[in-house]
Amino acid sequence: MEELLAQLRSANPGVPDEVIWQFLQRRLHGENREYPASFRSLLDGKNRPDEPASMQPAPESFQLRSRCHCGKCKVVWDLDAHHLRVTRCYCPACRHHQASSFASYLATGSPENGMPQFTGDVTKLQHVCDVLGSVARLMCSRCFTKLAVVPDSGARAGEVLLCMGSVEDDSIPDEVALKWQTCHEDWDHASEPSWWRAKPATSMLLRRSQLLKGACSCGRCSFEAKLLPGEAQHCYCRLCRQMSGSVAQTWVPAEKVHFRWLRSETLRLVRTTGHGQRHLCTSCGTVMTIVYDSQPDCIWPAAGTFDDTQLAEASSKDLMWYRVIHICCAYMQPWYLLPDDRLPRLKYAG
Ligand SMILES: [Zn+2]
Ligand SMILES: [Zn+2]
Ligand SMILES: [Zn+2]
Ligand SMILES: [Zn+2]
């Protein structure tokens, strides 16, 4: 496999690794593009009762690796497993910064675990979390991968909470990942956005008519678009994971003629793959949209940027989504368990 990857890389100079990897995966898996509706996790089967041999006790300590998308910011960290807690923060501040349904953190219990030193140029954004209080959010200055959150004060002052989206999957032992699938803390769960567990409505109403506003976490970039009723794609690819810091980002298509920027002081459109670009706020780092080269009339804002109040009002109309799918599930983090929602699960992009 490595050899094939190397061959493809040298035959396709300048093509991002992610694109080459997806091409290879498609070749290997042929037309079998979908997981069954019962698929929950990439470690499915390893924890079935009929396979006790695969279950080893979780190690006491292990070496965790975290890496940003451009590869400049990295950390390797020897961690004591007893101090680790996987948390999901649904507070609006964390959700909007990561433009996701919840922020995914690995609370490391440091200083017991020491303090990691990221290589590369790390930006510190002074921000808040409704649970942790005042925090510094650490991002790669170049690619805006979300790396970690460090509270400034209170009981957890100085504790490093690594953003799970940038943790390298193969540095988490399977036994630990299996435990984290079900063993995690939820913070401010009442603030979960309605689109995260949405099911498609049975109505065949396809005309988008309701306007929604969205904004980055600092508010310097905002938009308005006709989005509802609409389609929602929960994407678990590496880029969505790293640039959000969380487990997935949800994308909702809008026609460009019905999308407009209200504020764009710090907005930048950056090429993130060989086939698409993303709008992000250079002040706070929130990733706001995807624009695909092959869809010049369409723009995909991240549901994580949507205005919560407006969304709550819209959801009462019960006709929000006509298609909801999970995509790029082949890149899902092994510690994540998909909800038992029976929605379609594509292995790669939709
Ligand atoms: Zn980077
Ligand atoms: Zn929070
Ligand atoms: Zn911003
Ligand atoms: Zn993605």
Side-chain angles (χ1 to χ4, degrees), residues 47-293:
N47 55 346
R48 284 207 306 259
D50 55 335
E51 290 184 15
S54 67
M55 280 297 284
Q56 303 290 325
E60 302 266 306
S61 63
F62 56 96
Q63 199 171 61
L64 198 78
R65 283 178 282 112
S66 171
R67 178 184 174 278
C68 74
H69 184 68
C70 78
K72 292 281 175 197
C73 297
K74 289 180 207 167
V75 73
V76 180
W77 202 0
D78 289 310
L79 289 168
D80 182 338
H82 296 298
H83 296 298
L84 304 179
R85 299 277 180 278
V86 172
T87 65
R88 298 176 184 183
C89 189
Y90 292 84
C91 89
C94 285
R95 273 198 287 118
H96 282 276
H97 187 254
Q98 298 203 350
S100 298
S101 52
F102 53 79
S104 304
Y105 301 125
L106 179 64
T108 57
S110 59
E112 287 89 344
N113 271 314
M115 188 63 83
Q117 290 300 320
F118 281 98
T119 61
D121 191 3
V122 175
T123 292
K124 272 189 194 179
L125 176 78
Q126 211 51 49
H127 208 248
V128 288
C129 159
D130 295 352
V131 178
L132 296 168
S134 173
V135 295
R137 296 193 186 271
L138 275 48
M139 297 177 274
C140 170
S141 308
R142 192 164 158 208
C143 70
F144 292 93
T145 289
K146 312 300 177 289
L147 299 166
V149 167
V150 185
D152 291 336
S153 56
R156 304 184 89 119
E159 174 173 0
V160 177
L161 290 93
L162 286 173
C163 295
M164 289 296 282
S166 47
V167 170
E168 301 272 279
D169 292 346
D170 62 358
S171 71
I172 303 173
D174 283 357
E175 298 75 21
V176 174
L178 283 169
K179 187 176 144 205
W180 289 350
Q181 283 185 2
T182 49
C183 202
H184 53 84
E185 291 174 19
D186 290 335
W187 295 348
D188 194 11
H189 202 172
S191 293
E192 183 181 68
S194 56
W195 47 263
W196 183 238
R197 287 179 195 274
K199 292 283 187 71
T202 48
S203 159
M204 290 306 287
L205 180 62
L206 296 181
R207 199 178 64 248
R208 293 191 184 107
S209 55
Q210 286 189 56
L211 277 172
L212 268 190
K213 285 187 175 134
C216 67
S217 64
C218 78
R220 289 198 181 114
C221 301
S222 59
F223 63 82
E224 181 178 68
K226 281 187 180 177
L227 289 161
L228 300 175
E231 170 178 345
Q233 297 197 357
H234 306 306
C235 182
Y236 302 83
C237 80
R238 287 197 180 86
L239 250 177
C240 287
R241 293 169 35 175
Q242 290 171 321
M243 295 195 76
S244 69
S246 190
V247 72
Q249 280 192 289
T250 301
W251 303 102
V252 179
E255 288 163 293
K256 258 191 188 152
V257 288
H258 294 130
F259 179 100
R260 69 183 180 110
W261 291 103
L262 301 173
R263 287 187 73 183
S264 54
E265 291 155 45
T266 51
L267 190 70
R268 194 194 291 167
L269 181 63
V270 294
R271 178 150 295 278
T272 43
T273 65
H275 51 267
Q277 304 179 81
R278 280 167 167 80
H279 283 104
L280 52 84
C281 171
T282 53
S283 173
C284 66
T286 299
V287 178
M288 304 189 69
T289 79
I290 296 183
V291 186
Y292 292 106
D293 298 344

